[in-house]
Amino acid sequence: MKILEVKNLKKTIGKRDIIKDISFSIEEGEIFGFLGPNGAGKTTTIRMLVGLIKPTSGNISICGYDLQKDTENALKEIGAVVENPELYKYLSGRENLMQIARIRKVPKEEVNEVIRLVGLENRIDDKVRKYSLGMKQRLGLAASLLSNPKLLILDEPTNGLDPSGIIDFREIVKKAAKERGMSVFISSHILSEVQNLCDRVAFINNGVIKSVESIINNSMETETDIISLKILENINSNILSALDYVKSVKKIDDKFELIILSNKTPELIKYLVNNNYNIDEVFKLRKGLEQRYMELVEGGIR
């Protein structure tokens, strides 16, 4: 079941096209990353997803409810943590949650459950002004989970957290998604965290989604491989570039770094051997999210 479906979404502000005809979907229980540089359109997209601004055109569907035509039912299925959550600092963590629970008609048992889920049992009755940033993020996450949403939207949720706080938050999100069968949409600048957390990721730049790709065993499933190649003879890089399965060639010291179509390494080796080139080294570089980000968003190998 598709929890979120975005079709041909556009947003124009003045004469500037901010979001340019993007489409993607999120399946039930999936953790979906949304990556791009500052100004790429991430925040504008999120503001449309949570109903803060209307798209110029296109459609957003949440659990089958059209966000424009059936706003109330669509938004009932969403929980969100957008950067630093707004909290009453003079109240305790529990009192903050109870205020929200009363408005949403959420039973006390559910409040206790989310407190357990985010690991705040020992500090929930302290005043929020005594909380660390990590604890405030946990409380904000607990608040977003109170209505048991089908879709959790997180916009830069680990901003300002130290490494242990980032790891803790990641594990809490994984636990919440698993226990509740919840889908998660997360926008973040921390590529390593997205790689460790997400099932799929969309790369956006200049309002355009460049690619949507799967992450399997903390590595990217892509259409290309990056090969490191050392040849004993002198060879002009143009010879390698001319091969139809080679996308780009870069000389680094005495080696070549090539982007080639996936699973074409044997064909490359066969070509070199048949043309009497002696291969000293050849290996496939592990493709992490950072490398893929540089290819898609920054336009090449670094």
Side-chain angles (χ1 to χ4, degrees):
M1 175 185 176
K2 286 183 171 58
I3 297 299
L4 172 66
E5 193 164 14
V6 174
K7 291 182 178 179
N8 306 118
L9 196 66
K10 297 181 182 179
K11 181 63 180 177
T12 301
I13 298 177
K15 295 183 178 180
R16 186 181 170 204
D17 294 328
I18 307 297
I19 300 298
K20 306 169 185 175
D21 195 24
I22 67 172
S23 299
F24 63 91
S25 63
I26 302 177
E27 299 293 331
E28 187 173 8
E30 183 178 35
I31 302 179
F32 186 90
F34 201 55
L35 288 178
N38 291 331
K42 301 189 303 297
T43 298
T44 300
T45 301
I46 288 172
R47 292 179 70 193
M48 287 190 281
L49 294 182
V50 298
L52 291 177
I53 59 175
K54 292 183 178 181
T56 302
S57 63
N59 178 264
I60 300 170
S61 177
I62 301 163
C63 296
Y65 299 113
D66 187 299
L67 184 59
Q68 295 300 308
K69 298 176 182 177
D70 199 354
T71 305
E72 184 176 350
N73 281 324
L75 292 180
K76 279 181 180 178
E77 304 293 347
I78 294 178
V81 179
V82 181
E83 292 192 357
N84 298 322
E86 293 294 326
L87 303 165
Y88 296 108
K89 295 179 182 179
Y90 59 89
L91 298 178
S92 70
R94 188 185 303 276
E95 287 168 338
N96 268 273
L97 294 180
M98 289 305 298
Q99 291 275 17
I100 299 168
R102 278 191 285 271
I103 294 170
R104 298 182 183 175
K105 297 181 173 59
V106 174
K108 185 177 180 180
E109 293 75 18
E110 175 65 12
V111 176
N112 292 331
E113 170 62 19
V114 298
I115 291 169
R116 178 201 65 79
L117 190 61
V118 302
L120 276 178
E121 301 100 313
N122 295 331
R123 299 292 302 276
I124 195 62
D125 292 310
D126 292 353
K127 301 294 185 187
V128 169
R129 64 171 174 265
K130 297 180 180 179
Y131 280 15
S132 66
L133 179 58
M135 292 168 64
K136 289 176 183 176
Q137 291 292 74
R138 290 188 188 207
L139 186 61
L141 181 58
S144 70
L145 294 173
L146 273 177
S147 56
N148 199 19
K150 286 291 186 183
L151 176 64
L152 178 65
I153 295 176
L154 304 174
D155 185 18
E156 302 292 348
T158 56
N159 264 4
L161 297 185
D162 60 23
S164 62
I166 291 172
I167 292 169
D168 289 344
F169 195 87
R170 179 214 307 163
E171 295 308 312
I172 289 167
V173 171
K174 281 184 175 180
K175 184 179 179 183
K178 184 177 180 180
E179 289 190 8
R180 298 190 166 215
M182 180 179 62
S183 302
V184 181
F185 176 98
I186 179 167
S187 169
S188 177
H189 283 97
I190 304 176
L191 301 183
S192 60
E193 283 311 302
V194 172
Q195 183 164 313
N196 287 324
L197 182 62
C198 296
D199 302 305
R200 283 193 303 145
V201 60
F203 299 87
I204 184 171
N205 197 17
N206 295 321
V208 176
I209 289 182
K210 301 293 186 179
S211 183
V212 178
E213 300 181 2
S214 298
I215 298 175
I216 299 175
N217 297 325
N218 289 346
S219 189
M220 301 301 299
E221 184 182 77
T222 65
E223 295 179 353
T224 59
D225 295 324
I226 301 178
I227 303 299
S228 178
L229 177 67
K230 183 178 180 181
I231 301 172
L232 295 179
E233 293 80 13
N234 288 326
I235 181 172
N236 192 307
S237 60
N238 291 333
I239 294 174
L240 297 172
S241 299
L243 300 172
D244 58 5
Y245 47 82
V246 174
K247 297 300 182 182
S248 71
V249 179
K250 185 176 182 180
K251 186 74 180 291
I252 302 175
D253 297 327
D254 60 345
K255 298 178 183 178
F256 291 98
E257 212 167 83
L258 295 81
I259 298 178
I260 69 174
L261 292 178
S262 184
N263 301 317
K264 287 292 186 178
T265 304
E267 193 168 333
L268 173 65
I269 294 171
K270 184 178 179 180
Y271 168 81
L272 293 169
V273 171
N274 287 342
N275 285 275
N276 299 316
Y277 290 108
N278 291 297
I279 301 169
D280 189 40
E281 291 180 13
V282 60
F283 60 91
K284 186 183 297 185
L285 297 175
R286 181 175 176 83
K287 186 187 293 293
L289 185 63
E290 181 177 343
Q291 183 65 58
R292 191 62 180 144
Y293 178 89
M294 297 311 299
E295 289 176 34
L296 288 167
V297 176
E298 300 294 339
I301 297 175
R302 283 194 180 181

